[in-house]
Amino acid sequence: MEIKALQAKATQIRMDLLQMIATAKTGHTGGSLSNTDILTALYYRIMNIDPKNPKAEDRDRFILSKGHSVESLWSVLADRGFFPREDLATFSQFGTKLIGHPNNKVPGIEMNTGALGHGLAVGVGMALAAKRDGASYRTFCLMGDGEQAEGSVWEAAMAGSHYKLDNLIAIIDRNRLQISGSTEEVMGLDPLEDKWAAFGWHVVSIDGNDMKDLVDTFATVPAVAGKPTLVMANTVKGKGVSFAENVPHWHHHVPNELELGKALAELTAALELYEQKGEVR
């Protein structure tokens, strides 16, 4: 997909996840909206994956360590064909596999996540296994910024550098908001890039809602031989819905009927704009 088509796809994914959350009457809205562009770049342009063979040995691995923001991932996996789109309507319903965190009974999910701070450690293990097996696959791990307060993240960061895992790419959805407010008020993180660099990682800071920035950056990894890469994706929580952007309340707010209608109208207008320009293909 070209950049404009990826932007249009991300808009469609946002519409799907909002409808899914509204139908289920539960979900984590703000973080799913902020990480949608990251997932779209990875799943439609960057990663080596095959929905028809989700367990292919040479597939790139993806771990959503911030597992509570799974709604965007479910929407992407359904759209890519890992499972039927109709299943999105069962999100968080009794007996569904599409629960509120990644569930590895669903094709395309590598591990159950949700306890923050665990994803990168498992990613280190996957990347180390690839090195020792002489395998070519890469491991991508998406974390939240509030998650950086977990000590296990830094143990994994130290191990990734020690083992020179240049096939490991960690991404931080740096939207600067968590459930109880600003990350810098809850547990100050800055200078976060400097901390990761001090742990021996190659650090790249980008606009995490800019599709070209995302694609150009991910296309270069592994970027430095012998070093894992940390992509600091500076994002806007609630991205794409004007009245949800940078509003802490939308961390797990479920849109009511009026809010859903306004949000879908905004996103539909954005999608129509892409199509009018003739840049969606």
Side-chain angles (χ1 to χ4, degrees):
M1 279 190 178
E2 299 299 325
I3 298 300
K4 291 298 181 182
L6 289 168
Q7 291 171 326
K9 180 58 69 175
T11 302
Q12 293 171 334
I13 295 300
R14 287 185 167 98
M15 295 171 73
D16 285 346
L17 74 87
L18 284 168
Q19 185 65 67
M20 182 171 56
I21 290 171
T23 298
K25 295 182 171 53
T26 187
H28 286 80
T29 309
S32 289
L33 289 169
S34 70
N35 72 29
T36 293
D37 297 305
I38 298 168
L39 295 181
T40 301
L42 290 174
Y43 275 87
Y44 293 88
R45 179 74 175 260
I46 298 299
M47 292 198 304
N48 175 31
I49 54 172
D50 182 1
K52 296 179 180 178
N53 187 14
K55 291 295 186 181
E57 290 186 5
D58 64 345
R59 72 189 183 280
D60 285 333
R61 273 63 167 172
F62 176 78
I63 299 170
L64 183 64
S65 191
K66 51 173 295 184
H68 56 283
S69 294
V70 73
E71 293 85 357
S72 48
L73 181 56
W74 289 146
S75 300
V76 166
L77 291 177
D79 190 69
R80 282 301 319 263
F82 283 90
F83 57 84
R85 286 181 58 85
E86 296 75 32
D87 289 358
L88 294 178
T90 73
F91 172 63
S92 284
Q93 305 302 309
F94 179 75
T96 186
K97 292 181 180 179
L98 303 186
I99 56 177
H101 291 83
N103 168 18
N104 64 5
K105 294 180 180 178
V106 179
I109 299 296
E110 300 291 343
M111 65 171 288
N112 298 342
T113 58
L116 296 177
H118 291 186
L120 188 61
V122 176
V124 166
M126 290 179 176
L128 183 58
K131 285 286 188 183
R132 293 186 171 179
D133 290 344
S136 62
Y137 66 82
R138 300 165 297 174
T139 298
F140 295 83
C141 178
L142 177 57
M143 298 178 285
D145 49 5
E147 185 175 356
Q148 304 307 295
E150 300 286 349
S152 52
V153 168
W154 298 100
E155 294 179 55
M158 187 162 49
S161 175
H162 175 78
Y163 289 109
K164 304 183 186 305
L165 300 179
D166 51 16
N167 57 346
L168 175 62
I169 303 94
I171 309 154
I172 298 177
D173 182 8
R174 185 71 167 115
N175 59 41
R176 295 183 176 270
L177 289 175
Q178 55 192 107
I179 190 170
S180 49
S182 162
T183 56
E184 301 314 293
E185 293 174 346
V186 176
M187 178 65 69
L189 299 174
D190 285 331
L192 193 51
E193 290 94 338
D194 293 345
K195 291 173 182 176
W196 278 90
F199 272 70
W201 287 59
H202 171 64
V203 179
V204 184
S205 185
I206 65 171
D207 182 341
N209 294 128
D210 184 294
M211 194 61 69
K212 187 176 187 305
D213 231 3
L214 287 163
V215 168
D216 288 349
T217 299
F218 290 141
T220 67
V221 296
V224 178
K227 278 193 172 188
T229 296
L230 185 282
V231 177
M232 190 70 64
N234 295 287
T235 63
V236 174
K237 196 150 190 170
K239 180 67 177 179
V241 178
S242 63
F243 51 90
E245 292 185 354
N246 286 320
V247 179
H249 171 66
W250 277 79
H251 178 85
H252 55 46
H253 175 69
V254 176
N256 59 34
E257 185 176 349
L258 178 60
E259 291 168 333
L260 178 64
K262 289 175 61 179
L264 293 179
E266 288 188 5
L267 292 165
T268 298
L271 189 59
E272 289 175 349
L273 186 60
Y274 292 129
E275 294 171 346
Q276 288 170 8
K277 291 181 178 179
E279 295 169 323
V280 178
R281 54 189 181 275

